[in-house]
Amino acid sequence: MTLAGKTALVTGASRGIGRAVAERLAADGALVAVGYAQDETAAKEVVTAIGGRAFAVQARLGAEGDVDTLFAALDRGLREHGAGREIDILVNNAGVAAPVTIEDVTPALYDEVFAVNTRATFFTTQRALSRLRDGGRVINITSGATRIAFPEGIAYAMTKGAIETFTLALAQHLGPRGITVNNVAPGIIDTDVNADWLRGDPEAEAYAASRAALGRVGRPDDVAAAVAFLASDDGRWVTGTTLDATGGSHL
C-alpha cells in the first residue's frame, strides 16, 4: 500500500488505460476519483471493481465549463469520502483520437482534438495546482507518436507533442514545491480504441506485436505500472521527462 493516505484524480478513467491506472493506484492504497465524460455505467463499473476507495466524477472535457464541472464533482466526492480538498496525484489521461492523415483533418476535428487532449489538460492542471500537495505528482499520458512518425494521426500526435513541452516547463516551475511532472508514452495498447482493427485479426495483431522490441501488443496494465512507479516515492527523483511505455517500438 505504497500510496496509502494519498488522493488521486485520473481523467478518462472509465475504460482502457485510464481504468487500469485508476485500479492500480487504488490497489496501491490511494483514494481515486474516476473521471469520465459520458459513460456513467462504465465509470460506476470501475468504482465497483475498486471498492470503497473510488468515486466517479463526470465532466465532458473540451466543452465549455469543463474544468468547473470536473472540480465541483471532485469536491462532492471528496466530501462524501470524508477527505479534504487536497490531492496528491493528477493523471491527465483523457483524450480523443484523430486517425486521419493531413488531407482529411478538418478544422472542426483539429479543434476538437486539441480542446480535449491539450487545452483540457492545461486547464485541469492549472486548477489542480492550488490543491496539489507539495511533493505531489502530475503524470500526463502522451504517446509513442511523439517519438515515432505517425502521419496517419498527425493532429493527434501534435497534441501529445504539445503536452510533452508543457510537462518540461511545468516540471521546472513546480520543482521548488517538490512536485514531479512526467509523461508516460504508450505505444499500441489492446484497448477498445484499437479494437476495430486489432482484435480478432491475427495479421493485425502480429503486425502490432512486431513493432515492439518485446514482441507483443501492450496491455493497459503495462502502462498503469509505469504510472504507478512515477506516482510512488520510488519516482521522487524523476521529473520533466518521458517514460517510454511502448515496449520498445521502433527502436
Side-chain angles (χ1 to χ4, degrees):
M1 303 292 283
T2 58
L3 298 179
K6 306 290 187 181
T7 299
L9 168 61
V10 183
T11 65
S14 64
R15 60 179 184 166
I17 291 172
R19 174 173 182 160
V21 169
E23 291 177 343
R24 174 60 189 268
L25 296 183
D28 287 350
L31 172 65
V32 181
V34 176
Y36 72 99
Q38 299 181 77
D39 194 341
E40 182 179 8
T41 299
K44 287 184 175 179
E45 287 176 358
V46 179
V47 171
T48 299
I50 290 173
R53 301 207 54 76
F55 57 92
V57 291
Q58 189 275 332
R60 188 169 182 177
L61 297 180
E64 188 67 28
D66 53 354
V67 176
D68 291 337
T69 301
L70 177 65
F71 280 87
L74 175 64
D75 283 337
R76 287 193 297 270
L78 291 173
R79 285 196 300 269
E80 290 170 2
H81 282 74
R85 296 178 68 254
E86 295 81 9
I87 63 174
D88 302 278
I89 302 159
L90 171 63
V91 182
N92 289 305
N93 169 74
V96 295
V100 291
T101 61
I102 188 170
E103 292 85 358
D104 295 320
V105 176
T106 64
L109 178 60
Y110 183 94
D111 289 346
E112 178 189 8
V113 73
F114 269 87
V116 178
N117 297 2
T118 304
R119 183 180 185 274
T121 292
F122 184 99
F123 287 105
T124 296
T125 305
Q126 181 193 65
R127 182 68 63 87
L129 292 184
S130 63
R131 58 174 70 198
L132 190 65
R133 290 189 179 95
D134 290 355
R137 304 284 189 265
V138 178
I139 302 166
N140 299 318
I141 306 301
T142 58
S143 172
T146 62
R147 175 177 63 81
I148 303 163
F150 189 48
E152 58 268 41
I154 188 170
Y156 169 83
M158 289 171 63
T159 67
K160 297 302 186 178
I163 292 302
E164 293 197 353
T165 299
F166 169 66
T167 293
L168 186 65
L170 193 65
Q172 179 72 35
H173 185 64
L174 297 181
R177 293 180 56 191
I179 297 171
T180 67
V181 188
N182 291 287
N183 307 303
V184 172
I188 299 174
I189 305 296
D190 186 8
T191 67
D192 56 353
V193 172
N194 293 319
D196 288 345
W197 69 274
L198 184 59
R199 294 178 186 170
D201 185 339
E203 289 187 3
E205 184 174 356
Y207 165 72
S210 72
R211 297 179 67 172
L214 295 177
R216 67 169 172 83
V217 177
R219 302 185 303 264
D221 64 302
D222 294 324
V223 183
V227 172
F229 162 70
L230 292 173
S232 75
D233 187 60
D234 287 342
R236 62 190 177 277
W237 201 238
V238 181
T239 195
T241 193
T242 297
L243 182 53
D244 188 293
T246 67
S249 294
H250 289 264
L251 293 180

